[in-house]
Amino acid sequence: MAIHGGASCRLAAVCLLLELLALQGGAGAAEPLVPAMFVFGDSMVDVGNNNFIDKCDISCKADYPHFGVDYLDHAPTGRFSNGYNLADHLAQELGFAESPPPFLSLSNASQWMSKGINFASGGSGLLLKTGNDGRTCTQVLSIAEQVSNFTNLAWQWAASGDNRSADLLSKSLFFISAGSNDLFEYIDLGPHDNDTKLLQDLVASYAAYLRDLYDVGARKFSVVSTSLVGCCPSQRLIAHRLQDPKGAIDEYGCLAPLNSLSYQLYPMFAAMLQDLSVELPGMNYSLANSTKMAEWVLETPASEPTSLNDFTFTVLDTACCGAGKFGAEYDCNFSAPLCPNRSNHLFWDDYHPTEALTQLAAKMIFSDPFRLFAHPITVQQLVGGGAPATLENI
């Protein structure tokens, strides 16, 4: 999220953004802008599906304290966050109270097709093996399984004779955040001998999933690219532990090879989506550039006002829940040290952002007042929610 041109330019932009967010404060109470929201992806957007997978390793579950410390009743829900996550905050921008419920929690999921369902699974990836090889999560719902679960429900709904199905699905938002775990596993497990093949495989898999969703009626896609995942506390710790750190640490103090993969992946996602929108009549999309969003946060000096709804980010590299260097040497659990101010940390645990950061990210994805992060249109434009906010019209 680089904004160049000096501190004064950044300061003016941030102040304008604050005014915009104050005006948008009641977005969650409005009539929903879409009839339903369907969510696919990993732990950035999982709201509890992994709770229902018996073979899912504890490392890929978030159903215990301190997770959920700032959620309703301070209870863990399966969200990898201290409170709401990215899916929740984008849902609130659309006018819903929070993300739709997790697929695996529903006894009759078909009844929720007119309202929305969250299919995401922490630890999952675009590749089938990601999170399912026994070395990380043991068992999760891959993106392929998530899409298959949705398409099966969509075919059943259409076959039932409900004439609302096609129209409702075409107007609903399909929100997808995936790919980070594929990069983590590639770097962590090795060998790192063919970056190009990995990235091409990820893009090809993504395109296939989008076609499958399109074939059953999806038309509006909000896609989130992988962020600077090398800046997670866990990856910073790896970078700073290497015997030969040359080339391993980037300008942000993060794991350079991992961030390099994210930088390469964004334009590939952009080209793939552009090609699909030409190939598939009626398909529309908004692609969030998460690497640029991350740059913007990291490059804004702590001395400048980065407050967003009373959140001020001053701790950029250390987990709120955890212990040791970067808060990443010991896991986040009920016995781990917990920072008293979650709103000033970028990171909740060694992999995941705080609720404060995901709230900011959702607002950027939805309205993008800087015209830097969402391309070719914002989610607000995608769903027909009126003209997007700009720095000129707030």
Side-chain angles (χ1 to χ4, degrees):
M1 300 187 232
I3 296 180
H4 301 288
S8 61
C9 292
R10 289 195 300 269
L11 177 57
V14 172
C15 291
L16 286 169
L17 178 60
L18 291 177
E19 296 177 35
L20 167 67
L21 296 179
L23 292 174
Q24 290 182 332
E31 183 71 18
L33 297 175
V34 292
M37 177 182 179
F38 298 96
V39 182
F40 306 83
D42 52 30
S43 55
M44 284 290 293
V45 291
D46 183 1
V47 293
N49 275 305
N50 281 11
N51 294 356
F52 299 90
I53 304 176
D54 291 339
K55 293 183 180 180
C56 183
D57 188 83
I58 187 65
S59 65
C60 287
K61 288 187 176 182
D63 56 352
Y64 51 89
H66 295 300
F67 291 102
V69 65
D70 296 310
Y71 188 73
L72 303 175
D73 298 326
H74 311 291
T77 61
R79 289 167 170 82
F80 294 79
S81 171
N82 55 300
Y84 288 122
N85 67 17
L86 184 60
D88 293 307
H89 286 303
L90 186 60
Q92 289 164 356
E93 292 296 324
L94 294 168
F96 299 102
E98 61 181 21
S99 165
F103 168 69
L104 293 180
S105 73
L106 304 174
S107 59
N108 191 346
S110 61
Q111 294 182 350
W112 284 85
M113 287 295 284
S114 62
K115 304 173 185 177
I117 302 173
N118 187 315
F119 295 87
S121 176
S124 67
L126 294 166
L127 303 180
L128 287 172
K129 66 179 182 179
T130 300
N132 285 306
D133 59 3
R135 291 181 289 185
T136 50
C137 297
T138 306
Q139 183 177 347
V140 297
L141 296 177
S142 68
I143 307 299
E145 291 175 281
Q146 295 174 35
V147 170
S148 177
N149 287 331
F150 172 80
T151 56
N152 287 338
L153 288 174
W155 287 121
Q156 292 171 21
W157 194 24
S160 72
D162 190 331
N163 55 17
R164 299 176 300 162
S165 61
D167 183 60
L168 186 143
L169 293 180
S170 70
K171 294 177 179 177
S172 296
L173 183 70
F174 289 75
F175 180 49
I176 311 171
S177 175
S180 297
N181 290 317
D182 301 287
L183 303 186
F184 283 131
E185 289 200 6
Y186 176 76
I187 290 294
D188 290 348
L189 304 177
H192 314 144
D193 55 359
N194 199 334
D195 293 1
T196 299
K197 183 179 185 305
L198 168 74
L199 299 177
Q200 289 175 340
D201 287 348
L202 295 181
V203 173
S205 296
Y206 219 138
Y209 304 144
L210 293 173
R211 286 193 183 93
D212 288 344
L213 293 171
Y214 177 90
D215 286 344
V216 293
R219 293 296 182 270
K220 300 178 187 294
F221 298 91
S222 171
V223 174
V224 180
S225 72
T226 57
S227 186
L228 295 183
V229 290
C231 291
C232 295
S234 63
Q235 305 308 299
R236 286 181 184 270
L237 183 63
I238 291 170
H240 288 264
R241 278 180 168 175
L242 294 176
Q243 295 297 320
D244 180 12
K246 184 179 180 180
I249 301 175
D250 66 14
E251 61 185 300
Y252 302 116
C254 308
L255 187 60
L258 193 49
N259 282 349
S260 174
L261 293 174
S262 280
Y263 279 122
Q264 294 176 68
L265 196 52
Y266 173 77
M268 297 174 71
F269 279 169
M272 175 268 291
L273 286 163
Q274 171 62 26
D275 289 345
L276 280 182
S277 69
V278 173
E279 173 190 336
L280 305 175
M283 175 189 167
N284 291 287
Y285 69 92
S286 176
L287 172 62
N289 187 341
S290 295
T291 57
K292 191 175 285 276
M293 292 167 65
E295 286 178 349
W296 185 86
V297 172
L298 293 169
E299 290 182 7
T300 302
S303 60
E304 293 184 6
T306 57
S307 175
L308 296 158
N309 288 1
D310 298 325
F311 297 129
T312 302
F313 301 117
T314 57
V315 183
L316 309 181
D317 59 359
T318 300
C320 172
C321 182
K325 192 170 185 178
F326 302 118
E329 292 183 299
Y330 300 96
D331 291 339
C332 174
N333 55 44
F334 71 93
S335 64
L338 182 65
C339 69
N341 183 4
R342 270 79 72 185
S343 63
N344 71 355
H345 279 61
L346 289 187
F347 293 99
W348 160 243
D349 63 7
D350 54 347
Y351 280 98
H352 304 100
T354 56
E355 177 180 15
L357 184 57
T358 56
Q359 183 177 26
L360 166 58
K363 290 180 182 296
M364 295 297 196
I365 293 168
F366 182 74
S367 61
D368 190 12
F370 297 146
R371 301 290 184 91
L372 290 174
F373 311 126
H375 305 282
I377 58 176
T378 66
V379 170
Q380 188 176 12
Q381 291 173 298
L382 179 66
V383 301
T390 69
L391 294 178
E392 289 75 28
N393 68 15
I394 61 173

